[in-house]
């Protein structure tokens, strides 16, 4: 009886099976990234056979079992797609620490977490390193005196740098930088403190022509609009944020306006939507054209072409490519006389993105953009259907644009809030207000003026729309600074367990796609996700991968073993705790005792001593006599005494960061970042 009811429900959804396809394909991709060992060729062969069997079953028994078989086939396809992508993008990864000459060609310029200029180089040459061991693409941050080089796309440069392979997570289960670098083709990261020198200017020809054009446009924009205003304008037109100050970026993030910088769905939608409406209006002015040709479809073609140009101009990163696919799918729907803004179009866009870039599933950009788009299409579709019903309340015409902005900001903010909180451990309490004050300005003034600047620039008048953009950009930056400075502007939340976001996604899909009373089933995953998040427990002790930093949990929050150094790990630990403190504040907490170089901590799971500085290895025996666990920031030269657990630099280089948890026997167990990440292509 239960099986029959289940099959009946599936048959009722047959006309909307495309809407469910991204859920099944994404489940397969998620399974690939969730396993701890890289699937073997035998596993892939079995999955291909399962796909064929499922498709055959769906062909033979289209009713009842057919949709179920297709769903299983999509899950298996997701695993295969993700595995194929991971093998195809693989590049050589530097397997050791390197210090010496580095030569390469600049292909990207941006800024690091520490606000330093950061260069991505390809065609890399390293001293005495053969092709098999040499990373072909590296990313280097420039510190110190760099006045001898004005970086430009296509330049061949030389520098002396510290390089190493991409690091793993700063704590077990944390953000996996190794995986991100693998899929972006980055084989080594590092920094230099000596001047970088120009070897050769950009070569003529079409190689990197788009990158050079982006840089030229960005420089022109900043000449017309100096300071932070021009930096903001360059960021939204070319995607280059390298000129923006850290203070402005932090203010935009704290006010939930950072999405205005990313060339993603909002910008692509505003640009292509403006082009579509403008072209349709211009073509309708010619009676002969309007009566003889499908001007709506011609305008859709113009919008697609403008979006493709914007994609190329912005550098073609994954976020912008995803946004282009989404808007292109909607305009293609217009070409085939289908509704542009529909869940079917969103599902098609999601399937295309996941097929081209399966790794996008685990990135916040994909999750937030599709969550916002799906929620907006569903809510405005529901409002449209209600407006068609007789007796349904309708807002006055003059109030509809304002109401649309309020509803879209509220719905998009609500849909993306749990995702942003999970990835960035931060909630903007006044984000809705900031967006209501800024998004209309972005859509009504800044984006149309940017299009007008592009149109007028060939005749030398592009500076005029840019000048008019200035006050609007200053308004957005001012809103961000005022909102971010308000008391309680942001709140911090701890990092959730791994299953929270998948449950939130399932709940959102159920709420959007299920019919009538069945929609209440969405509460089940939502409630489970909320319970898991509220009951999350953070590790009592965290140890960095170098052994140079230890953090222990106290009633005040996590206490750190030193006030500076390894700032990225320190900041990440505190953010994942949901703790707004900085490293100095965390160091001042009552968690460690002792003198510099020999810090002692008493925690529920163990007594721990952290040895650092010169001669740390010589103090190992004394430390072992007074502690259960000793963390050593250097490589030990003598065996530890019996019964003493020692984590030295050499051990930690193999295990990665370590977390201590209580065990059933009253002691402690070690959880390592390497074990948590598993044996994957990017961890080898």
């Amino acid at each position: 009886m239960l099986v029959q009811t289940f099959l009946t429900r599936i048959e009722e959804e047959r006309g909307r099976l495309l809407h469910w396809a991204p859920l099944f394909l994404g489940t397969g991709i998620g399974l690939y990234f969730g396993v701890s060992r890289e699937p073997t060729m035998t596993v892939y062969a079995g999955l291909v056979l399962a796909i064929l069997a499922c498709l055959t079953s769906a062909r033979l028994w289209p009713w009842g079992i057919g949709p179920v078989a297709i769903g299983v086939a999509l899950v298996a396809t997701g695993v295969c797609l993700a595995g194929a992508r991971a093998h195809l993008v693989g590049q050589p990864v530097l397997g050791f620490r390197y210090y010496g000459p580095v030569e390469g060609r600049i292909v990207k310029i941006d800024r690091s977490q520490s606000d330093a200029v950061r260069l991505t180089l390809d065609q890399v040459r390293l001293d005495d390193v053969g092709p098999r061991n040499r990373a072909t693409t590296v990313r280097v941050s420039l510190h110190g005196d760099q006045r001898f080089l004005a970086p430009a796309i296509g330049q061949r440069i030389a520098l002396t740098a510290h390089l190493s392979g991409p690091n793993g997570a700063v704590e077990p289960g944390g953000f996996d930088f190794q995986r991100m670098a693998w899929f972006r083709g980055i084989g080594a990261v590092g920094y230099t403190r000596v001047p970088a020198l120009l070897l050769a200017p950009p070569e003529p020809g079409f190689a990197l022509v788009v990158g050079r054009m982006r840089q030229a446009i960005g420089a022109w924009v900043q000449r017309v609009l100096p300071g932070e205003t021009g930096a903001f304008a360059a960021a939204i037109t070319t995607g280059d944020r390298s000129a923006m100050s850290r203070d402005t970026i932090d203010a935009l993030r704290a006010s939930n306006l950072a999405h205005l910088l990313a060339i993603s769905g909002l910008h692509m939608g505003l640009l292509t939507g403006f082009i579509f409406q403008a072209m349709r209006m211009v073509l309708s002015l010619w009676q002969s054209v309007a009566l003889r040709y499908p001007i709506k479809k011609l305008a859709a073609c113009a919008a697609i072409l403008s979006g493709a140009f914007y994609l190329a101009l912005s550098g073609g990163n994954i976020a912008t490519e995803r946004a282009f696919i989404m808007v292109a799918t909607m305009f293609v729907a217009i070409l085939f006389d289908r509704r542009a803004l529909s869940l079917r179009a969103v599902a098609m866009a999601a399937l295309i993105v996941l097929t081209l870039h399966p790794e996008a599933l685990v990135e916040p950009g994909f999750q937030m953009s599709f969550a916002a788009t799906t929620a907006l299409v569903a809510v405005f579709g529901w409002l449209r259907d209600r407006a068609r019903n007789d007796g349904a309340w309708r807002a006055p015409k003059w109030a509809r644009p304002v109401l649309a902005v309020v509803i879209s900001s509220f719905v998009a903010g609500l849909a993306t809030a749990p995702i942003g909180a999970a990835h960035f451990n931060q909630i903007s309490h006044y984000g809705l207000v900031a967006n209501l004050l800024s998004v209309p300005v972005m859509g009504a003034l800044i984006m149309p003026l940017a299009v007008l600047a592009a149109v007028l620039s060939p005749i030398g008048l592009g500076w005029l729309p840019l000048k008019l953009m200035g006050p609007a950009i200053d308004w957005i930056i001012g809103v961000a600074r005022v909102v971010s400075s308000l008391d309680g502007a942001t709140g911090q939340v701890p990092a959730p367990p791994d299953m929270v976001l998948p449950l939130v996604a399932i709940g959102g899909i159920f709420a959007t796609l299920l019919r009538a009373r069945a929609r209440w089933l969405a509460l089940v995953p939502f409630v489970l996700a909320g319970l898991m998040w509220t009951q999350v427990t953070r590790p009592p002790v965290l140890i960095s991968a170098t052994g140079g930093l230890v953090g222990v949990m106290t009633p005040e929050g996590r206490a750190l073993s030193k006030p500076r150094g390894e700032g990225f790990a320190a900041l990440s630990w505190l953010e994942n705790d949901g703790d707004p403190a900085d490293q100095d504040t965390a160091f001042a907490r009552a968690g460690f005792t002792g003198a510099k170089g020999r810090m002692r901590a008493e925690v529920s799971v163990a007594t721990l001593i952290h040895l650092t500085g010169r001669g740390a290895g010589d103090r190992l025996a004394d430390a072992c006599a007074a502690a259960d666990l000793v963390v050593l920031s250097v490589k030990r030269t003598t065996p530890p005494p019996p019964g003493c657990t020692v984590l030295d630099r050499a051990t930690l280089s193999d295990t990665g960061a370590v977390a201590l948890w209580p065990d059933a026997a009253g002691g402690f167990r070690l959880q390592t970042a390497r074990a948590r990440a598993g044996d994957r292509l990017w961890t080898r």
Side-chain angles (χ1 to χ4, degrees):
M1 186 67 178
L2 185 61
V3 174
Q4 184 63 35
T5 303
F6 174 69
L7 294 177
T8 301
R9 291 290 186 186
I10 290 177
E11 287 303 322
E12 292 175 355
E13 292 290 327
R14 175 173 289 276
R16 303 196 306 162
L17 290 180
L18 179 63
H19 298 165
W20 293 92
L23 172 63
F24 293 105
L25 187 67
T27 298
I29 295 171
L31 288 174
Y32 171 80
F33 287 112
V35 296
S36 59
R37 296 185 64 84
E38 193 68 27
T40 62
M41 294 305 298
T42 304
V43 172
Y44 288 122
L47 289 171
V48 171
L49 291 176
I51 294 169
L52 295 176
C54 288
L55 294 178
T56 303
S57 300
R59 179 79 173 176
L60 295 176
W61 301 286
W63 303 101
I65 197 174
V68 177
I70 292 175
V72 175
L74 282 170
V75 173
T77 301
V79 178
C80 294
L81 278 175
R85 172 74 175 167
H87 282 83
L88 287 173
V89 301
Q91 297 290 333
V93 176
L94 191 65
F96 56 93
R97 293 188 176 275
Y98 171 86
Y99 176 71
V102 179
E103 180 184 325
R105 182 180 64 171
I106 301 176
V107 294
K108 184 178 179 181
I109 305 172
D110 60 356
R111 285 191 176 272
S112 67
Q113 187 76 17
S114 62
D115 208 26
V117 174
R118 186 170 61 187
L119 308 179
T120 301
L121 310 176
D122 72 350
Q123 300 180 3
V124 173
R125 295 176 58 185
L126 304 178
D127 190 34
D128 293 331
V129 179
R132 295 185 60 184
N133 300 318
R134 181 177 66 232
T136 56
T137 303
V138 304
R139 201 166 71 179
V140 184
S141 297
L142 304 183
H143 298 278
D145 183 6
Q146 297 295 338
R147 59 184 170 178
F148 302 100
L149 177 70
I153 301 295
Q155 289 177 338
R156 179 164 290 278
I157 65 170
L159 47 86
T160 301
H162 297 265
L163 296 178
S164 64
N167 295 322
V170 296
E171 65 172 274
F175 169 68
D176 194 343
F177 178 71
Q178 280 183 319
R179 182 177 65 196
M180 186 195 76
W182 177 268
F183 282 96
R184 295 186 180 179
I186 299 174
V189 295
Y191 65 93
T192 181
R193 297 190 184 279
V194 298
L197 301 176
L198 177 65
L199 292 181
E203 298 178 358
F206 289 101
L208 300 177
V209 64
V210 174
R212 292 198 291 269
M213 182 173 65
R214 289 177 64 215
Q215 193 169 26
I217 292 174
W220 169 65
V221 169
Q222 291 176 68
R223 285 196 300 271
V224 177
L225 296 174
E228 289 296 298
T229 307
F232 187 102
I236 63 172
T237 52
T238 67
D240 181 10
R241 304 187 197 179
S242 60
M244 294 200 68
S245 70
R246 178 58 53 182
D247 289 341
T248 300
I249 293 176
D250 288 343
L252 290 165
R253 286 177 177 168
S255 57
N256 199 25
L257 294 177
H259 65 95
L260 298 181
L261 289 179
I263 299 181
S264 56
L266 175 66
H267 300 74
M268 191 67 72
L270 291 174
L271 172 71
T272 55
F274 175 78
I275 294 291
F276 174 74
Q277 294 293 350
M279 284 295 297
R280 194 175 179 187
M281 185 179 299
V282 169
L283 292 175
S284 67
L285 296 178
W286 285 302
Q287 186 177 5
S288 59
V289 174
L291 294 177
R292 296 178 60 186
Y293 299 100
I295 61 173
K296 184 177 180 181
K297 295 181 180 182
L298 293 176
C301 292
I304 293 173
L305 292 176
S306 66
F309 176 76
Y310 197 29
L311 171 65
L313 182 62
S314 65
N317 60 61
I318 293 177
T320 315
E321 181 180 318
R322 179 180 62 246
F324 172 71
I325 290 172
M326 187 180 298
V327 299
T329 302
M330 295 179 181
F331 284 114
V332 168
I334 292 177
L335 297 180
F336 288 93
D337 297 314
R338 298 295 185 97
R339 184 183 296 163
L341 293 175
S342 67
L343 291 175
R344 181 180 293 270
V346 176
M348 282 295 299
L351 289 173
I352 294 171
V353 172
L354 290 176
T355 300
L356 295 176
H357 299 286
E359 71 276 11
L361 179 75
V362 296
E363 297 179 356
F366 173 89
Q367 296 168 8
M368 296 179 77
S369 64
F370 275 98
T373 304
T374 303
L376 288 170
V377 171
V379 169
F380 279 98
W382 178 78
L383 291 174
R384 182 189 61 242
D385 294 339
R386 278 186 57 84
R388 289 175 179 171
N389 297 330
D390 293 335
W393 177 82
R394 299 184 184 184
K397 282 190 176 182
W398 63 266
R400 289 176 189 174
V402 178
L403 190 60
V405 171
V406 173
I407 292 174
S408 60
S409 297
F410 176 76
V411 171
L414 188 65
T416 58
I419 301 171
H423 285 286
F424 308 118
N425 309 108
Q426 183 173 284
I427 297 175
S428 177
H429 294 146
Y430 307 119
L432 176 60
V433 175
N435 276 274
L436 290 176
L437 293 173
S438 302
V439 172
V441 175
M442 192 80 181
L445 292 176
I446 294 177
M447 293 307 296
L449 287 171
V451 174
L452 192 58
V455 172
L456 296 179
S457 58
I459 60 175
L461 295 177
W463 60 271
L464 183 57
L466 285 180
K467 284 290 186 181
L468 296 175
M469 282 172 59
I473 291 174
D474 291 338
W475 168 264
I476 291 178
I477 294 175
V479 168
R481 288 174 174 166
V482 170
V483 170
S484 63
S485 65
L486 297 175
D487 291 337
T490 58
Q492 279 68 37
V493 294
D498 293 340
M499 279 304 298
V500 165
L501 280 184
L503 286 171
V504 170
I506 292 171
I509 292 172
F510 281 4
T512 303
L513 299 184
L514 289 178
R515 300 176 186 270
R517 295 180 180 178
R519 196 167 289 164
W520 290 102
L521 287 174
L523 289 177
V524 176
F526 281 146
V527 170
L528 286 175
L531 289 174
M532 293 175 66
W533 203 338
T534 55
Q535 300 301 315
V536 66
T537 303
R538 295 287 297 152
V541 179
L542 288 170
I543 302 166
S544 70
T546 63
L549 183 69
V550 177
V552 300
M553 191 61 75
T554 72
E556 298 177 280
R558 192 171 300 277
L560 300 178
S561 60
K562 60 182 183 182
R564 61 188 60 85
E566 304 208 32
F568 180 72
L571 181 62
S572 298
W573 291 352
L574 294 170
E575 286 180 347
N576 290 338
D577 291 338
D579 189 343
D582 56 21
Q583 188 169 354
D584 284 328
T585 303
F587 172 73
R589 289 170 176 163
F592 287 90
T593 59
K596 180 180 178 181
R598 190 184 188 279
M599 304 295 289
R600 177 189 177 97
E602 296 280 353
V603 292
S604 59
V605 294
T607 299
L608 178 149
I609 291 180
H610 186 205
L611 298 179
T612 59
R614 186 173 300 174
D618 299 333
R619 305 192 297 271
L620 177 60
D622 291 339
C624 280
D628 304 306
L629 173 67
V630 176
V631 179
L632 194 59
S633 64
V634 297
K635 183 179 179 180
R636 62 178 174 81
T637 56
T638 59
C644 179
T645 302
V646 177
L647 296 176
D648 67 333
R649 193 181 188 95
T651 302
L652 290 167
S653 67
D654 293 331
T655 64
V658 173
L660 264 65
W661 293 93
D663 62 12
F668 62 87
R669 60 181 176 87
L670 302 178
Q671 183 185 50
T672 68
R674 184 62 54 84
R676 182 71 182 272
D679 178 23
R680 307 308 305 269
L681 293 175
W682 47 88
T683 63
R684 293 173 181 176

